[in-house]
Amino acid sequence: MSDLIRRDPRKEWIARNRLHPQHQDVLAEQGGGTKAFEWMGPNGVMRKNPHAVGFIGPNGVRRIDRSGAQQAAQTPGRSAETKDTRQRITIDQPAFMVAVVPDMAGGRLSSHDRDLLGLARQLADADPSQPGAVLAVVFGEHKETAFGEAGADRLLHLEGERFSGYLPELKVATLQGIEREVAPRFWLLPDSTLGGGELGRRLAARLGERPAAQVWQVENASASPTGWRCTARGAAGRDDIIRALPRVVLALAECADPVSETRHAAEPISLSQGLPDVLGRIEDLGEVAVDPASVSLAEAEFILSAGNGVKEWEGYHHAAEVLGATKGASRVAVDDGYMPRDRQVGATGTWVSARVYVAVGISGAIQHLQGIQSCEKVVAVNLDEGCDMVKRADLAVIGDASAVLAALVKRVEQYRAEQQENRNAA
Amino acid sequence: MPHNATSSTPGGLNVAVLVSIGRHPLTARTRRADQDARAVEMALTLDGASVSLIHAGQQEREHEEALRGYLGMGIDTVNLIQQCPQADVVPALADALRQGAPQLVLSGARAETNEASGVLPYLLAEALGWPIITNLAAVEKVEQGMATVLQALPRGKRRRLRIRLPAIATVDSSAPAARQSAFGPARRGALEHLDAASDIDEALAAWQVQPARKRPKRLKIVKSSSARDRFKAAAAKADGGGGQTLTDVTPEQGAEAIFKLLKEEGVLR
Ligand SMILES: Cc1cc2nc3c(=O)[nH]c(=O)nc-3n(C[C@H](O)[C@H](O)[C@H](O)COP(=O)(O)OP(=O)(O)OC[C@H]3O[C@@H](n4cnc5c(N)ncnc54)[C@H](O)[C@@H]3O)c2cc1C
């Protein structure tokens, strides 16, 4: 059925006129059921007939169930399809540019990056007669598809072999090239330890701009030379410094709301000049293997956590070693003496921030779930399909913990062996 | 675990550490700055390195107390470059480093007082034309004008870098903690005063500094036209939303699914 709404003025009129002899029939027709109390109006707005709502209770009183159970039972004929109502915006001739260099931790825009793009949108859209465009500069490979949704009008993706690894000097030289070519009005970078915080300071030093670091608020201020004023944390978080917004801004997370109401073009652009050749004074020799057991729980990236459902502890410890995961535990596992106290995850233990959290035999009590709030991907292995951990999980496997762990160990060992073979062959 | 790096540079490695006045986060008393003290600690654990400490600031009783905190770590002198309170210390420090010509300059990532933006090491690196690295965790070895160092990454990881000297490196809380400051050496140590012209930092006058305000908490925004949906979203327990549940699978199939996710996320090494 086409989703074009066809109007029948006569039927609409009958539907409005409760005294019309055909009133009930028309309502039923429009509602798609026998007793319609809700139907889609001509403008896409839900219309309700309050007289048809509810049921007659045992004492002959009309009762209305507002929990939604009754409404859900009767689906109206034309359902309100959830359409993407976000406005599509393209800016062809921007008056100026606002450049954002997101961190892209794990190859995706982090929430910090999105906040920065939101801030960039504020700066770009302040004057509707002279709209600016937001340029996102991305180094290296990434997995992100939603730059437009996050608020970028232009996307400069610098890819290739040259941009993998730790290359702060090459990146700064590239940003300098962008500065020469695009001359953005503002440079916004996330003030994170590695990544934006470092790159932004390098860029500011190179451009000779005095940056504002640890910015958490940006407001309109006509008195300031840039038209904006920012509030930045200073003195190790003890002071607030209020000053004119400089050209290079290193902002904290939640400095602005992320873009949610509009979609942007994220049109790919490229630099007309080639990339600079930088003499490498800093050479990246690669990451060093660290013992996952020595990593503190709070900063571990990959945690294999065990709860009351784990019965074979030998197998669990072996699995953690094979996977290279940091070990965690629920309170019950700790109280029962299977795991040391410093491994407890949750409200009374450690608040973890792992990228992948595998919960084996953990039911997901609220005290435990609190501790894993900021984990990105949660995997649950549990026998009980209805438990809260399974609801929280991005991937839940219903099965016996020991069996699944043993199978996982086997699979990973097989993968390791394949890798070894490839390496030997190469 | 001391990371003792051996240097094969004849005459030993010349290390300069930039130190600042710290402030205790609770009592607000002046003290040796935590990150700077870690930088001093790292310099002291380098084998055969000659360590010199540089501070640019005012000669004040309170500041002197703080600087003696560094002396108490087993240092004989701190070079104090006299600057007036509103001075931009970058030119003075750059001059001092150019003259002292150290091979390695260590500093904290950011100060504990004033602007504390952490840009100073970068400005020095730019002014001197030296490379700079951040988050130094350990110096492994120094030879033939190159230093092999470990950089701390988030999540307890480390990255090995080789960097051409002379270079600047900043140290933060991932580096080994500083040793205690002993009272006797702190009294005996000397502050050597050096005079230098002060460049007044004019931008400071236009800034308004006030005690930090508490940041507003972001509320969960629910965009929905129906009140029922908004209420449900506000009252709902956090659920993964779109999570995938595998029931009635063999352990092998389950393991395969988990393995795929682990590989996608790149946590298997
Ligand atoms: C004040 C307070 C603070 C607390 N703080 C914390 C805290 O910080 N951290 C914390 O973790 N807890 C905390 N708790 C305890 C918390 O309420 C729960 O009791 C606890 O988290 C439950 O641990 P569990 O999930 O391991 O055990 P259970 O709730 O017993 O769950 C075991 C799960 O394993 C599954 N299972 C059983 N056998 C198997 C099998 N063979 N294979 C696979 N799955 C299996 C079951 O289906 C079940 O879902 C706190 C409690 C209180 C009162």
Side-chain angles (χ1 to χ4, degrees), chain A residues 305-312 329-335 341 344-351 357 359-371 381-390 397-404:
Chain A
S305 201
N308 200 19
V310 172
K311 301 282 154 31
E312 278 175 47
S330 80
R331 177 156 174 181
V332 174
V334 172
D335 283 352
R341 181 63 70 192
Q344 180 178 325
V345 174
T348 36
T350 312
W351 291 55
Y357 184 83
V360 186
I362 297 180
S363 59
I366 185 70
Q367 292 91 356
H368 191 87
L369 289 184
Q370 272 176 357
V381 179
N382 208 307
L383 279 180
D384 176 9
E385 196 181 334
C387 73
D388 284 336
M389 185 55 87
V390 170
V397 176
I398 308 303
D400 180 55
S402 345
V404 174

Side-chain angles (χ1 to χ4, degrees), chain A residues 83-410:
Chain A
K83 253 191 264 161
D84 199 346
T85 51
R86 288 175 294 184
Q87 221 183 322
R88 186 153 211 122
I89 293 181
T90 40
I91 297 171
D92 295 324
Q93 296 289 325
F96 60 92
M97 290 285 223
V98 179
V100 178
V101 189
D103 270 349
M104 306 295 294
R108 299 197 189 92
L109 286 173
S110 64
S111 63
H112 194 171
D113 293 339
R114 285 174 198 278
D115 294 345
L116 248 91
L117 284 164
L119 178 61
R121 277 256 69 88
Q122 274 183 26
L123 296 175
D125 298 340
D127 184 0
S129 62
Q130 282 188 322
V134 174
L135 166 71
V137 182
V138 177
F139 292 102
E141 301 303 316
H142 68 78
K143 306 179 210 152
E144 184 61 58
T145 50
F147 284 106
E149 272 88 345
D153 297 305
R154 305 278 187 276
L155 177 66
L156 179 56
H157 185 195
L158 299 150
E159 52 190 334
E161 275 289 281
R162 302 184 54 197
F163 285 102
S164 60
Y166 178 68
L167 299 158
E169 300 198 308
L170 175 63
K171 285 185 182 176
V172 166
T174 311
L175 293 184
Q176 211 183 352
I178 298 172
E179 164 80 13
R180 247 178 268 122
E181 207 164 299
V182 184
R185 188 176 285 183
F186 294 106
W187 282 98
L188 307 184
L189 293 100
D191 198 350
S192 52
T193 27
L194 275 173
E198 181 191 350
L199 194 59
R201 288 180 173 87
R202 283 181 194 271
L203 177 71
R206 182 64 56 83
L207 300 182
E209 298 281 348
R210 185 172 197 162
Q214 308 249 310
V215 171
W216 61 273
Q217 196 175 40
V218 174
E219 295 154 317
N220 237 319
S222 43
S224 102
T226 47
W228 296 90
R229 183 177 65 192
C230 66
T231 311
R233 284 273 194 257
R238 184 188 295 264
D239 290 342
D240 270 343
I241 300 171
I242 301 170
R243 53 186 282 196
L245 190 71
R247 278 196 63 214
V248 180
V249 181
L250 304 168
L252 294 176
E254 302 198 2
C255 53
D257 285 328
V259 174
S260 63
E261 262 151 23
T262 50
R263 286 191 299 165
H264 298 263
E267 191 182 304
I269 61 167
S270 54
L271 289 178
S272 57
Q273 285 160 12
L275 293 170
D277 265 323
V278 179
L279 126 156
R281 296 180 296 181
I282 303 174
E283 193 187 338
D284 186 356
L285 301 182
E287 262 184 41
V288 184
V290 283
D291 178 13
S294 70
V295 176
S296 85
L297 207 49
E299 57 173 15
E301 179 173 38
F302 173 28
I303 299 178
L304 184 69
S305 201
N308 200 19
V310 172
K311 301 282 154 31
E312 278 175 47
W313 287 91
E314 294 273 299
Y316 161 74
H317 290 298
H318 179 60
E321 264 156 45
V322 172
L323 292 176
T326 307
K327 291 175 196 169
S330 80
R331 177 156 174 181
V332 174
V334 172
D335 283 352
D336 290 353
Y338 292 113
M339 295 289 283
R341 181 63 70 192
D342 66 341
R343 294 283 131 189
Q344 180 178 325
V345 174
T348 36
T350 312
W351 291 55
V352 299
S353 59
R355 218 138 58 71
V356 180
Y357 184 83
V358 183
V360 186
I362 297 180
S363 59
I366 185 70
Q367 292 91 356
H368 191 87
L369 289 184
Q370 272 176 357
I372 60 168
Q373 265 169 4
S374 51
C375 290
E376 254 172 56
K377 291 267 168 178
V378 175
V379 180
V381 179
N382 208 307
L383 279 180
D384 176 9
E385 196 181 334
C387 73
D388 284 336
M389 185 55 87
V390 170
K391 286 185 195 137
R392 164 70 172 84
D394 298 277
L395 171 68
V397 176
I398 308 303
D400 180 55
S402 345
V404 174
L405 279 184
L408 185 58
V409 165
K410 228 157 102 204

Side-chain angles (χ1 to χ4, degrees), chain A residues 201-202 210 214 233 235 238 240 242 253 256 260 281 283 285 288 299 353 394 396 411 416, chain B residues 23-24 110 114 117 129 132 155 158 160 162 201 208 210 212-213 215 218 223 244 246 256 269:
Chain A
R201 288 180 173 87
R202 283 181 194 271
R210 185 172 197 162
Q214 308 249 310
R233 284 273 194 257
R238 184 188 295 264
D240 270 343
I242 301 170
S260 63
R281 296 180 296 181
E283 193 187 338
L285 301 182
V288 184
E299 57 173 15
S353 59
D394 298 277
R411 181 68 187 84
R416 293 267 151 82
Chain B
R23 189 158 57 165
H24 193 279
R110 68 170 54 138
N114 296 336
S117 61
I132 175 169
R155 310 206 171 280
R158 297 280 184 269
R160 189 169 283 134
R162 192 182 299 140
D201 185 356
Q208 190 186 332
Q210 60 190 36
R213 223 168 0 118
R215 288 184 62 181
R218 177 182 283 174
K223 294 236 158 68
Q244 184 194 5
L246 302 178
E256 182 64 39
R269 233 163 292 119

Side-chain angles (χ1 to χ4, degrees), chain A residues 38-60:
Chain A
E38 218 182 39
W39 64 95
M40 180 64 77
N43 297 326
V45 179
M46 277 318 245
R47 319 292 332 212
K48 281 190 183 166
N49 175 8
H51 301 279
V53 181
F55 55 94
I56 306 298
N59 297 335

